[in-house]
Amino acid sequence: MEGDRLEPVTIKNIERELICPACKELFTHPLILPCQHSICHKCVKEILFFTLEDSFTDLGSESSNQSSPRIRIHSPSLDRIDRVNRSATQRRSFGWRGWKRNSLTPRTTIFPCPGCRHDVDLGERGINGLFRNFTLETIVERYRQAARAATAIMCDVCKPPPQESTKSCMDCSASYCNECFKIHHPWGTVKAQHEYVGPTTNFRPKILMCPEHEMERVNMYCEICRRPVCHLCKLGGSHANHRVTTMSTAYKTLKEKLSKDIEYLISKESQVKGQISELGLLMKETECNGERAKEEASNNFDKLFDVLEERRSAALRAIEASKNLRLERLQTQIEEYQGLLENSGLVGYAQEVLKETDQSCFVQTAKQLHIRIQKATESLKSFRPAAQTSFEDYVIDITKQEEVLGDLSFYSSGLDVPEINEEKSRMYNKALICWEHLVKEDSADTYILEYRKLNREEENATWQEIEACSKSKVISDLENNSSYAFRVRGYKGSICSPWSREVILHTPAAPVFSFLFDDKCGYNSERLMLNPRRTSVESRAGFPLLLGAERIQAGCYTTLDYIIGDTGITKGKHFWAFHVESYSFLVKVGVASNTKLQEWLHNPRDVTSPRYEQDSGHDSGSEDTCFDSSQPFTLITLGMNKFFIPKAPTAPKDSANRILPMPSCIGICLDCDRGKVGFYDADHMKCLYERQVDCSGTMYPAFALMGSAGIHLEEAITAKYLEYRDDM
């Protein structure tokens, strides 16, 4: 640890690296998020407060759903609300959801990072599981001290009046003048061995401790999670099966890479200065062209003043906005390149990080910094201005007749109208809306997606809008069992396309229930094959199936291979969806109680008659006799690309009326409170079949396969996480 103060020129140039992306102030007790960005401890709590605020108002409607835990967070300080509110408001679209599986699976907290604008998973421990960025905290403190050089740090133990301190003890967490230091740290005592630095107010722990095992110091680096861990995390914790390396190896590797990249950037200082000069000329050219475009537009509108007076100010504002946007982008690019100079911005900050001698603290800070250095290195090789200087799209055509001037706007004939792709778009726990350009690819820079709930009582519902930089967007907090209309338009600068055709999608009938296939209870690994994520199961025909069929003398029926979900349901209303492969011969899907599953899974029998299975779909009479009584299970039959509706006393005798085409996605809605289960065409949210079911026990999603078959659970829609490149 070093107590040397920074040079004034370095302080001025690296200040951008020391600003919290949430509150726009110097970091205070910064924490490292899983995405490797840092944020103030208070800002984390306050952003969670604002993102949870809307969720709490909706908890009343979800009180029957046991998968919606309530988290209480203390109210933030009022003097910081305005600043953090701006950041939190921008992230409301990501929302927050906690969840748990029964009482055994812990909830996780999703946090919107203001640095990368992606959702990150804080895990079971939430804020308590985050590391403090001690290296950054030390650099900020040195910056504060250099910035207030005129203000001395006084001795903490002097009698009034206190003397100016000359050193600080990291073990005692106090500052001393020379005399007091000698008194409290006499030679020959244990205190004489304490670590001391120059005067400081930042007293950090000497050793970086594990947030999960508070009494253990971190001594390894997890290459999968990209974070320091202790030996208990590796032995039996969440990193037990992860690849780890020693802290010294990670420290040496990262430091060598970072030092090499910094040396390269410093060697290219002349190139950086040249590119900064070029950007300065581009800014002047953009300024001139922008003013020229404004003047030409103003002259053209003056000639048609009687007709175009109303639109004149709008056109000027659009040009001004475009000019400011381009100037801002060019200015930002200049600032980024200035940060590549020695003792400036990113390079200056990286040089300060290299002064860190604590291996653990260095590793946790240097990884993300190394990625930024690599990106800066790549930008030098492919230099491209951040904005165009031409304003050709803002020249107004005044040759048209006066009757068409009412529609005059900045609509560009070259900007293609985006169209929502209904095949790629889907509605599940959230809405994933995808769109594309049918004529020209990448003809727009940004998009505005609008959506509204279709309500018979309120025909003109207000459109809600959300901005997107890509051709897809995830929307949260939509009401269940509702229909929504979506439309999108593209923007290139201030030029926008017309709205796309409206597309209507339907939300599930109940909150989405998350589970995986259970690979332990009753799972037959000889005839069933699970994928590693336990989201897909296939029935494979092999020698065990043939050997089992040798005992069959009549018919072609063998046992059904059952598999269930790993999570049970005791109350509330839940919905889940899945896909059945079109080649599947016979599949049964539905729900069953724990007692019924024990009977099926622990008493297997070879089936030589279709009458053995109650829901076999054959004329055994079992379904007719038990249909009116509420059973603790319900299974419907799928197979050969067909959906078979079970027989009922009032159903027509013609079996053809009970056979429907099998939907590509099938949904099940279980209402434990009402004792009903429904089967849906999940693509259109249309109920195909519903019946009573006894929900007095714990109900589980149940599946059965025979012959060649495959089932794939519908994956929950999540906000896309930032993918980090890591070559370690």
Side-chain angles (χ1 to χ4, degrees):
M1 185 179 300
E2 299 182 6
D4 299 337
R5 297 185 179 180
L6 305 179
E7 296 296 332
V9 63
T10 305
I11 292 174
K12 179 180 179 181
N13 293 335
I14 72 171
E15 183 176 358
R16 293 182 60 207
E17 303 294 331
L18 310 180
I19 299 298
C20 173
C23 62
K24 306 302 181 184
E25 297 178 353
L26 289 175
F27 282 106
T28 303
H29 303 304
L31 302 178
I32 298 181
L33 298 175
C35 61
Q36 300 301 308
H37 291 101
S38 295
I39 184 173
C40 298
H41 179 267
K42 289 184 178 180
C43 294
V44 174
K45 296 175 65 177
E46 292 170 3
I47 290 177
L48 279 178
F49 171 82
F50 285 108
T51 54
L52 284 171
E53 191 177 38
D54 290 342
S55 299
F56 286 162
T57 60
D58 297 335
L59 285 178
S61 60
E62 300 177 0
S63 58
S64 61
N65 184 3
Q66 63 176 356
S67 61
S68 298
R70 180 183 295 268
I71 296 182
R72 298 186 182 273
I73 296 182
H74 296 293
S75 176
S77 55
L78 297 178
D79 59 337
R80 296 166 56 89
I81 285 182
D82 291 338
R83 293 189 299 273
V84 181
N85 188 30
R86 290 195 296 269
S87 175
T89 302
Q90 296 173 357
R91 308 298 299 167
R92 283 182 186 269
S93 58
F94 289 90
W96 172 92
R97 285 292 181 270
W99 62 273
K100 60 181 180 179
R101 293 180 181 166
N102 290 342
S103 60
L104 300 179
T105 304
R107 65 175 177 232
T108 59
T109 303
I110 301 302
F111 178 79
C113 173
C116 60
R117 296 183 178 275
H118 286 77
D119 280 359
V120 292
D121 187 355
L122 300 186
E124 173 189 355
R125 292 174 56 84
I127 300 178
N128 296 329
L130 299 178
F131 280 105
R132 278 178 64 182
N133 192 338
F134 288 119
T135 299
L136 176 58
E137 196 170 329
T138 300
I139 296 174
V140 170
E141 178 59 26
R142 294 208 298 263
Y143 170 85
R144 293 181 187 272
Q145 292 183 25
R148 60 172 185 262
T151 304
I153 298 177
M154 309 308 293
C155 178
D156 292 329
V157 296
C158 271
K159 295 181 179 180
Q163 301 296 316
E164 182 177 350
S165 64
T166 58
K167 53 181 66 69
S168 296
C169 178
M170 302 306 295
D171 295 272
C172 300
S173 298
S175 298
Y176 300 89
C177 63
N178 285 332
E179 295 300 325
C180 291
F181 186 81
K182 294 178 182 179
I183 295 174
H184 291 273
H185 296 78
W187 289 104
T189 64
V190 177
K191 286 190 174 182
Q193 306 298 322
H194 284 188
E195 179 183 3
Y196 63 91
V197 297
T200 182
T201 57
N202 179 38
F203 300 100
R204 73 182 196 186
K206 296 176 61 177
I207 301 175
L208 191 63
M209 308 302 291
C210 177
E212 296 186 16
H213 309 94
E214 298 178 356
M215 302 303 296
E216 300 293 332
R217 65 172 297 177
V218 294
N219 53 9
M220 292 180 286
Y221 181 77
C222 178
E223 297 181 357
I224 304 299
C225 302
R226 305 175 187 88
R227 63 179 292 172
V229 297
C230 70
H231 70 282
L232 294 181
C233 293
K234 176 59 179 174
L235 290 177
S238 57
H239 304 269
N241 298 321
H242 293 182
R243 184 174 66 255
V244 300
T245 185
T246 62
M247 190 63 69
S248 59
T249 301
Y251 172 82
K252 182 179 178 181
T253 302
L254 278 174
K255 192 159 189 175
E256 288 179 353
K257 292 181 178 179
L258 188 59
S259 300
K260 184 178 179 180
D261 289 340
I262 292 175
E263 290 176 0
Y264 175 81
L265 289 178
I266 294 176
S267 67
K268 296 295 183 179
E269 184 168 351
S270 59
Q271 180 181 348
V272 175
K273 290 181 178 179
Q275 292 174 351
I276 292 175
S277 300
E278 183 178 349
L279 289 171
L281 295 176
L282 291 175
M283 286 188 63
K284 293 181 180 179
E285 185 178 354
T286 302
E287 182 77 30
C288 294
N289 290 342
E291 294 299 327
R292 187 180 300 111
K294 287 174 59 179
E295 183 179 358
E296 292 178 0
S298 180
N299 292 335
N300 291 334
F301 274 110
D302 286 339
K303 296 176 183 180
L304 303 173
F305 183 82
D306 293 338
V307 180
L308 304 177
E309 182 61 25
E310 181 180 357
R311 298 182 179 271
R312 176 181 176 180
S313 58
L316 294 178
R317 287 195 301 269
I319 295 175
E320 184 68 19
S322 178
K323 184 195 72 173
N324 292 336
L325 178 61
R326 300 182 194 191
L327 292 175
E328 181 181 356
R329 290 178 178 175
L330 291 173
Q331 181 62 40
T332 301
Q333 192 173 15
I334 287 179
E335 294 176 358
E336 291 175 354
Y337 275 80
Q338 286 175 339
L340 304 183
L341 300 176
E342 187 175 6
N343 294 329
S344 300
L346 182 61
V347 174
Y349 172 64
Q351 290 173 327
E352 290 303 316
V353 172
L354 286 176
K355 296 179 182 179
E356 177 60 53
T357 58
D358 189 293
Q359 295 182 0
S360 301
C361 295
F362 178 84
V363 168
Q364 72 172 358
T365 305
K367 183 57 188 176
Q368 176 65 16
L369 181 59
H370 180 228
I371 295 175
R372 295 178 60 190
I373 291 291
Q374 286 182 322
K375 292 181 179 179
T377 303
E378 294 174 0
S379 68
L380 289 179
K381 300 177 182 179
S382 57
F383 173 71
R384 180 182 299 174
Q388 299 178 356
T389 62
S390 174
F391 283 78
E392 296 176 354
D393 292 330
Y394 293 87
V395 177
I396 305 299
D397 182 7
I398 62 172
T399 61
K400 298 180 181 180
Q401 295 86 347
E402 291 186 357
E403 57 268 20
V404 300
L405 291 178
D407 295 329
L408 182 64
S409 68
F410 281 135
Y411 283 161
S412 172
S413 59
L415 191 56
D416 187 27
V417 180
E419 291 296 334
I420 296 179
N421 189 322
E422 297 187 56
E423 294 182 357
K424 295 182 179 180
S425 301
R426 63 192 185 101
M427 189 86 78
Y428 197 42
N429 60 316
K430 301 178 182 179
L432 172 62
I433 309 300
C434 304
W435 56 88
E436 58 188 12
H437 291 277
L438 303 180
V439 180
K440 296 182 179 180
E441 290 292 331
D442 300 327
S443 61
D445 297 330
T446 58
Y447 301 89
I448 294 296
L449 175 65
E450 289 193 346
Y451 62 97
R452 65 176 179 179
K453 181 181 177 182
L454 300 181
N455 193 337
R456 295 180 180 179
E457 300 177 356
E458 186 178 357
E459 297 182 358
N460 297 324
T462 303
W463 287 95
Q464 301 183 58
E465 70 175 34
I466 186 171
E467 183 178 357
C469 297
S470 60
K471 296 178 183 178
S472 63
K473 193 66 179 178
V474 175
I475 302 176
S476 309
D477 301 327
L478 299 180
E479 296 183 16
N480 294 317
N481 199 22
S482 303
S483 299
Y484 285 84
F486 300 87
R487 66 181 184 182
V488 65
R489 75 190 318 174
Y491 280 82
K492 193 173 185 66
S494 297
I495 304 172
C496 62
S497 70
W499 287 107
S500 67
R501 174 180 58 88
E502 292 186 16
V503 171
I504 298 176
L505 298 177
H506 308 276
T507 57
V512 171
F513 179 65
S514 298
F515 66 91
L516 301 174
F517 286 120
D518 196 328
D519 59 351
K520 296 179 178 60
C521 182
Y523 172 64
N524 189 336
S525 59
E526 293 182 353
R527 293 199 292 264
L528 295 180
M529 180 171 59
L530 275 174
N531 67 340
R533 298 171 57 195
R534 295 194 288 136
T535 58
S536 298
V537 62
E538 293 184 1
S539 173
R540 52 185 177 183
F543 284 107
L545 184 62
L546 294 177
L547 293 175
E550 280 187 330
R551 302 191 300 272
I552 306 299
Q553 303 298 326
C556 58
Y557 294 89
T558 58
T559 56
L560 284 166
D561 294 312
Y562 286 94
I563 188 168
I564 64 174
D566 64 349
T567 308
I569 303 172
T570 57
K571 63 179 180 179
K573 189 175 182 181
H574 306 270
F575 182 91
W576 61 93
F578 50 89
H579 303 266
V580 175
E581 292 287 358
S582 58
Y583 62 77
S584 300
F585 172 68
L586 191 152
V587 173
K588 288 181 176 290
V589 298
V591 296
S593 66
N594 52 347
T595 54
K596 193 65 179 179
L597 288 172
Q598 290 178 2
E599 176 185 338
W600 289 346
L601 300 178
H602 298 291
N603 298 286
R605 302 177 186 176
D606 287 335
V607 182
T608 58
S609 170
R611 291 181 176 271
Y612 178 78
E613 178 63 41
Q614 283 191 325
D615 285 339
S616 63
H618 295 271
D619 295 331
S620 62
S622 60
E623 288 175 327
D624 294 337
T625 58
C626 73
F627 185 87
D628 292 333
S629 60
S630 182
Q631 294 286 322
F633 71 96
T634 293
L635 297 174
I636 58 110
T637 302
L638 307 168
M640 302 180 67
N641 221 14
K642 301 295 182 182
F643 181 100
F644 298 89
I645 298 178
K647 291 189 300 182
T650 58
K653 296 182 179 180
D654 186 5
S655 61
N657 294 327
R658 298 191 296 108
I659 301 176
L660 303 176
M662 184 172 67
S664 61
C665 185
I666 301 167
I668 296 179
C669 181
L670 176 63
D671 190 343
C672 290
D673 299 334
R674 298 176 57 196
K676 284 190 175 183
V677 60
F679 298 84
Y680 285 74
D681 176 354
D683 290 329
H684 303 91
M685 291 301 166
K686 178 182 178 182
C687 185
L688 304 177
Y689 172 69
E690 186 179 54
R691 65 159 293 174
Q692 293 291 130
V693 64
D694 181 7
C695 298
S696 57
T698 302
M699 307 299 291
Y700 288 83
F703 307 84
L705 300 86
M706 177 184 291
S708 180
I711 302 174
H712 309 279
L713 298 180
E714 180 80 349
E715 294 188 8
I717 301 173
T718 58
K720 295 183 179 179
Y721 282 36
L722 184 62
E723 297 182 359
Y724 306 99
R725 293 179 296 176
D726 185 13
D727 55 356
M728 284 193 61

